Amino acid sequence: MTMNNQGRPTRPEDTASYTPFPTHTGNRALEIAEPLIFEVGDFEGTGVDLPKAEGIKPRIAGFDRQHAPHLPGLAEPEAMRHYVRLSQKNYAIDMGLFPLGSCTMKHNPRLNEKVARLKGFADIHPLQPQSTVQGALEMIDILAGWLKELTGMPAVAMSPKAGAHGELCGMMAIKAALIARGEGETRTRVLAPESAHGTNPATAAQCGFTVDDIPADETGRVDLAAFKEKLGPDVAGIMVTNPNTCGLFERDIREIADAVHEAGGYFYCDGANFNAIMGKARPGDLGVDAMHINLHKTFSTPHGGGGPGSGPTVLADSLAPYAPVPFIIQDEDGFRLVEDIEGEAKDAFGRLVAFHGQMGMYVRALTYMLSHGKDGLKQAAEDAVLNANYVLKRLSAEMTPAFDGTCMHEALFSDEFLKDTGVGTLDFAKAMIDEGFHPMTMYFPLVVSGAMLIEPTESESKQGLDQFCDALLGLARDAKSGDQLEKFKAAPIYSPMRRLDETQAARNPVLKWTEDAPSMAAE
């Protein structure tokens, strides 16, 4: 069956030459302009009619409400349409390629969602008797086993609830180990390469360490000579991201690990980019003492906007005794959680979270592992690297690669190709929105001028990658032509909202509605 399109072209005509004109409604065809919910409803209307309550005695010691809540009243269709329209304005990985570098916004298989919603996982409560959740505890234990196998590490703390939280767990374990060695007061300096994730120095500082930067060399990797010069008896350890934020594998990782160990320090590895080496290399074999794994990135889970996440932290034998509670052990009575810092957990540095972690993330991650299998996980890592290098190669025709050679799972470009065009990295990224793509990570890592970091992930097809590359190559040529500067400065033109004042939105956000506030907050 084919569509009858005779006399009815299914593709739009060339609209570039049309003069835009406003509609009477503010809508753009079926894209409906959506006001705030306070502007949709009014304060007199209501979606339901209920008789006035009579004879009700206050039961909250005089704290009952004295005035109406001043919320808009809407009929059910009005409320439903409002939230559906808002959901349609939210760009997501299920709508198109989401090329944020170092964020791994890849497709989340629906199988993961189906399993995570099974009642046995979704409806349990963290305070249930452990005898009633033996299956869930066993599932966490199996997942822990996979993580230890994949990383070559003997222990894992499952409870950290995000990547940075996992960093905190690893560094607190290192701090506890140093205190146990009697060096808690003397080893106070942590080395952090420029190519590490931005959260690494913050985590070290939060643990009370002084942060000492290590420059990147001309290849975008840790400057080995500079690193060795900074080693000393006051070094607690080093925090290296591998693959690093330049999208490159740290080739000297084994030498770095040996050197810091010889100096008496520990080696923390940021495992946020583990999806690039999963099934290919084991951090434990590289000399790593602690590393967090972003389950939501490496093993897929819808995330962004601050969560949800999960950051289990694998630990070497030297740090395993200091892992936080709770953790799961199995004995003759089944699985149980060790909750108290005594006996089996006498050396634990404490507790990070109220309960045992993110059950939904655990289920999705294990489902991803089991459905892919050993060979499938390895293939996912290889495809992620292949896709990134395809993007790097194609875009290099018009854009400027930050470094020579191939990359790992993300491709990094500088703004050199925009030099003297008047178009900045921000303008270029905003123009991508008009082409139907979410912008890449901009201005990070800081070691590259006007950085554009693109991570396509393994879940994109060649057709999808070509559409993305064609769009960026076209924009690069437009920028270099010198006659379309106005387009870049006005972009995005075709989005529901035009270019926002991002500085004002960040520094002076309007988070509370008032009757006299501007309707378009932060515009």
Side-chain angles (χ1 to χ4, degrees):
M1 180 182 292
T2 59
M3 179 183 293
N4 179 8
N5 61 0
Q6 290 184 344
R8 295 183 296 160
T10 56
R11 294 182 181 277
E13 300 293 334
D14 175 18
T15 56
S17 59
Y18 291 178
T19 301
F21 54 89
T23 59
H24 294 291
T25 58
N27 301 335
R28 291 156 50 93
L30 298 181
E31 181 184 283
I32 310 299
E34 190 61 26
L36 299 174
I37 195 169
F38 297 93
E39 297 159 341
V40 177
D42 59 57
F43 299 103
E44 303 300 326
T46 178
V48 278
D49 292 323
L50 296 173
K52 187 174 182 179
E54 302 288 350
I56 302 297
K57 296 181 179 179
R59 294 182 295 178
I60 50 177
F63 289 101
D64 50 311
R65 182 181 292 280
Q66 302 297 311
H67 307 286
H70 206 54
L71 294 173
L74 289 81
E76 181 174 325
E78 293 176 310
M80 178 63 72
R81 288 171 180 168
H82 174 72
Y83 288 109
V84 169
R85 289 168 183 163
L86 289 182
S87 72
Q88 292 172 335
K89 292 175 171 56
N90 183 28
Y91 189 85
I93 190 64
D94 289 341
M95 296 181 68
L97 196 153
F98 211 127
L100 283 180
S102 273
C103 281
T104 317
M105 306 296 284
K106 66 183 182 183
H107 173 65
N108 177 57
R110 290 301 175 268
L111 174 64
N112 298 2
E113 292 303 304
K114 186 173 183 178
V115 178
R117 283 165 170 70
L118 292 176
K119 290 184 178 179
F121 295 128
D123 292 348
I124 58 176
H125 192 281
L127 293 179
Q128 277 185 234
Q130 294 180 28
S131 61
T132 67
V133 291
Q134 284 293 296
L137 296 179
E138 182 178 4
M139 186 278 296
I140 298 173
D141 192 61
I142 294 172
L143 173 61
W146 273 78
L147 295 177
K148 289 186 283 189
E149 179 66 26
L150 284 168
T151 58
M153 304 286 274
V156 57
M158 295 296 292
S159 61
K161 291 191 171 183
H165 205 203
E167 290 177 33
L168 183 66
C169 175
M171 295 307 292
M172 291 182 74
I174 289 174
K175 184 94 172 180
L178 291 173
I179 292 173
R181 285 165 42 180
E183 297 180 288
E185 299 296 326
T186 56
R187 290 192 178 269
T188 57
R189 191 160 52 98
V190 167
L191 308 180
E194 289 181 341
S195 55
H197 272 145
T199 49
N200 293 172
T203 298
Q206 190 168 3
C207 289
F209 294 111
T210 300
V211 180
D212 196 351
D213 294 338
I214 304 173
D217 64 15
E218 66 279 2
T219 71
R221 298 175 174 85
V222 175
D223 186 320
L224 199 57
F227 154 66
K228 290 185 176 180
E229 286 180 1
K230 297 207 172 195
L231 288 173
D234 62 336
V235 169
I238 186 171
M239 299 183 79
V240 176
T241 301
N242 194 32
N244 67 27
T245 53
C246 296
L248 304 170
F249 190 83
E250 293 286 353
R251 291 182 297 227
D252 300 317
I253 196 76
R254 186 70 242 190
E255 190 169 351
I256 292 171
D258 291 343
V260 76
H261 288 156
E262 187 176 343
Y266 291 97
F267 183 7
Y268 186 88
C269 183
D270 186 312
N273 296 333
F274 184 59
N275 63 308
I277 59 174
M278 172 180 58
K280 304 288 289 184
R282 303 195 308 170
D285 299 334
L286 303 176
V288 170
D289 296 310
M291 184 185 85
H292 75 269
I293 305 169
N294 291 7
L295 295 187
H296 50 285
K297 292 173 63 176
T298 299
F299 303 107
S300 83
T301 274
H303 66 284
S310 183
T313 304
V314 290
L315 300 166
D317 282 327
S318 56
L319 297 178
Y322 309 102
V325 293
F327 54 82
I328 295 174
I329 62 173
Q330 184 183 16
D331 54 25
E332 63 276 10
D333 296 323
F335 294 91
R336 63 183 174 89
L337 288 165
V338 176
E339 299 270 9
D340 300 321
I341 307 175
E342 57 185 20
E344 297 150 312
K346 61 181 176 58
D347 294 322
F349 68 72
R351 173 184 286 270
L352 280 174
V353 298
F355 301 110
H356 45 272
Q358 304 277 43
M359 177 60 72
M361 308 300 106
Y362 293 162
V363 178
R364 292 182 180 92
L366 186 57
T367 304
Y368 184 90
M369 293 172 178
L370 294 176
S371 59
H372 278 71
K374 178 181 176 182
D375 56 339
L377 294 178
K378 180 181 177 183
Q379 183 71 51
E382 291 174 345
D383 289 349
V385 174
L386 177 65
N387 280 1
N389 278 283
Y390 183 77
V391 169
L392 177 66
K393 182 67 175 178
R394 280 213 61 195
L395 295 186
S396 295
E398 295 288 348
M399 299 169 63
T400 312
F403 301 101
D404 295 333
T406 57
C407 63
M408 293 298 287
H409 61 301
E410 50 196 354
L412 179 59
F413 298 88
S414 78
D415 61 356
E416 178 67 23
F417 72 100
L418 295 174
K419 186 178 180 181
D420 299 329
T421 64
V423 176
T425 296
L426 179 66
D427 304 323
F428 192 84
K430 295 297 185 186
M432 288 175 62
I433 298 174
D434 283 336
E435 300 292 339
F437 292 102
H438 191 286
M440 74 291 273
T441 293
M442 300 178 292
Y443 303 115
F444 183 81
L446 301 178
V447 293
V448 173
S449 172
M452 303 179 194
L453 186 59
I454 299 170
E455 181 174 3
T457 79
E458 83 285 355
S459 49
E460 294 299 331
S461 67
K462 181 176 180 299
Q463 182 185 34
L465 295 179
D466 281 333
Q467 290 174 339
F468 176 74
C469 291
D470 290 343
L472 265 63
L473 289 170
L475 289 175
R477 286 191 285 268
D478 290 345
K480 294 175 183 177
S481 70
D483 59 3
Q484 298 193 46
L485 183 59
E486 184 179 355
K487 180 184 81 169
F488 284 96
K489 295 299 181 185
I493 300 171
Y494 301 115
S495 62
M497 301 291 285
R498 300 290 295 277
R499 190 179 297 205
L500 305 179
D501 186 333
E502 297 182 354
T503 302
Q504 285 297 314
R507 296 181 178 177
N508 301 299
V510 180
L511 302 177
K512 183 179 179 181
W513 180 84
T514 56
E515 287 187 86
D516 56 351
S519 59
M520 299 298 180
E523 186 178 25

